[in-house]
Structure formats: C-alpha cells, structure tokens
Amino acid sequence: MTIRAGIAVWAVDSTDSVLCETFILLAQNPTVQKNAYEEARRVIGDDYDTPMRSEDVSKLTCITMVLKETMRLIPPVAALESHGGNGFLTLHHDPKVFPKPEQFIPERFLPENVLNRHRCSYLPFSAWERICIGEKYVMPEMKFTVAKILYKYEIFTKMETDESRLHALFKIQGLFNDSLETESPII
Ligand code: HEM
C-alpha cells in the first residue's frame, strides 16, 4: 500500500514538474511559444471541445520537442537519491553531446539531430530494469495538456533566465502561482 501510494505521488509530482517547467520555458521563449501555439491551433482545429484522438496528439511534433528539451534541461528526477544525486542532470548537460547545454533549444530533438546522438545520451525516463512504466501514458498526456492550454492562453513569466533558474525550477511548485500569468488568447 505504501509503495503504491509512493509511486502514485512521485508519478504525479514528476508530471506536474515537467508541465510547470515547460510553461515557464515557453513564457521565456516567446518565439517557441508562438510556434507551439500555432501547432496547437492547427491540430485541434476550430472546435476546442472536439475530443483529441491519439493520431492528433502524435501530430504535435513541435510540442513534443519542447517537452523533451524541457526534460533535458531540467530532468524531473535528477535530484533523486537513487540516482546518486544528479546523474541525469550531468548526462543531459554534457556539452559534447548537447552544445550550449544551459540553453533551451527544442530543435535538438528534430529527428535528424536525434540520429546523431547515442541513444543513451538522453534518458528522462531512465532505462533497462528501472525504466519508467509511465512514459507511454504520460507523454501523450503532457502533449495534450500543453496543446489545450496554449490554444486558449498566452503564457508570461516574471522569472528571468539566469543560472539560478535550475535551482529555482526544482522547487517550482512553490513558485508557480507567483510566477506565471496568462492572457487569452494570442490572436
Ligand atoms: C514526466 C513524468 C515522468 C517522468 C520524467 C518519470 C521518470 C521516471 C524515472 C527516471 C524512473 C526511474 C527511477 C529510478 O531508477 O529510480 C521512473 C520509474 C518509474 N515510473 Fe516514472 N516518470 C514519470 C511519470 C510516471 C507516471 C505517470 C507513472 C505511472 C503511471 C510512472 C511510473 C513509474 C514506476 C512504477 C517506476 C518504477 C519502475 C521500476 O523501478 O520498476 N512514472 N520514472
């Protein structure tokens, strides 16, 4: 019972963190946000309330790259003790693999760029026997959520991009309410 509750809290917590961080990074990168917004409008179409099918979600390629780059920049489980503190952070910030590792560059996840990297250079969901069983469920869920929110809202933040950002973002849930503002819609 305790183990199950722990897994559930951790799973929700990591999903929340990725979404919060994604919206802050989109707010700090308006051009990326505009591209993601336009993709959301294109894929969802005129009727916001029409249910999205899995085929539609898989068309959210720009939003997928944004989520992947967010998890590279700020690996959601980087701080877990079971990973010796910051193993994923070190892996995802190797400048030989990810030049300018502190910068938010979703194009790193264009298919042609992914092909040039070792498949173990990016492991937000871990690998092998400890691989996350939630990945196939949570990625479509996060893409859907980002698309639906961007469809209606433009995201702003007062948080500045600086070196302290990584530290701040690990504590994101406490900062979220003070840091983000929304205005609807962009167009
Ligand atoms: C963005 C969201 C998520 C991220 C980044 C993430 C990441 C990870 C990582 C890195 C591990 C390996 C942990 C370790 O080696 O100690 C893991 C394990 C696990 N995750 Fe996730 N996870 C996410 C969401 C979820 C969700 C939604 C579920 C449930 C539906 C889930 C269920 C699990 C379980 C059960 C394990 C343990 C696997 C095992 O050790 O056999 N995760 N996750």
Side-chain angles (χ1 to χ4, degrees), residues 19 23 52 60 140-150:
L19 287 172
F23 286 118
M52 276 179 93
L60 297 168
E141 180 198 6
M142 292 194 299
K143 292 180 210 177
F144 169 90
T145 306
V146 172
K148 285 282 186 174
I149 290 178
L150 289 183

Side-chain angles (χ1 to χ4, degrees), residues 36-79:
Y37 160 78
E38 285 170 358
E39 178 178 81
R41 295 292 300 206
R42 207 167 45 243
V43 171
I44 294 171
D46 292 335
D47 185 3
Y48 177 82
D49 294 321
T50 303
M52 276 179 93
R53 296 157 170 267
S54 58
E55 307 91 92
D56 300 322
V57 174
S58 64
K59 289 179 192 151
L60 297 168
T61 51
C62 171
I63 289 173
T64 304
M65 290 193 294
V66 165
L67 285 163
K68 287 183 174 177
E69 176 66 348
T70 302
M71 290 190 287
R72 184 202 64 80
L73 195 57
I74 310 147
V77 294

Side-chain angles (χ1 to χ4, degrees), residues 111-162:
E112 59 269 33
N113 293 335
V114 173
L115 276 177
N116 291 328
R117 291 193 296 265
H118 193 279
R119 65 195 172 100
C120 294
S121 59
Y122 176 72
L123 297 172
F125 294 98
S126 194
W128 304 288
E129 72 270 13
R130 297 303 299 270
I131 196 165
C132 175
I133 58 162
E135 176 178 358
K136 287 201 162 36
Y137 161 74
V138 81
M139 279 305 290
E141 180 198 6
M142 292 194 299
K143 292 180 210 177
F144 169 90
T145 306
V146 172
K148 285 282 186 174
I149 290 178
L150 289 183
Y151 190 101
K152 287 205 170 180
Y153 299 98
E154 184 171 6
I155 315 291
F156 299 94
T157 183
K158 290 183 182 134
M159 283 179 82
E160 287 178 17
T161 308
D162 60 24

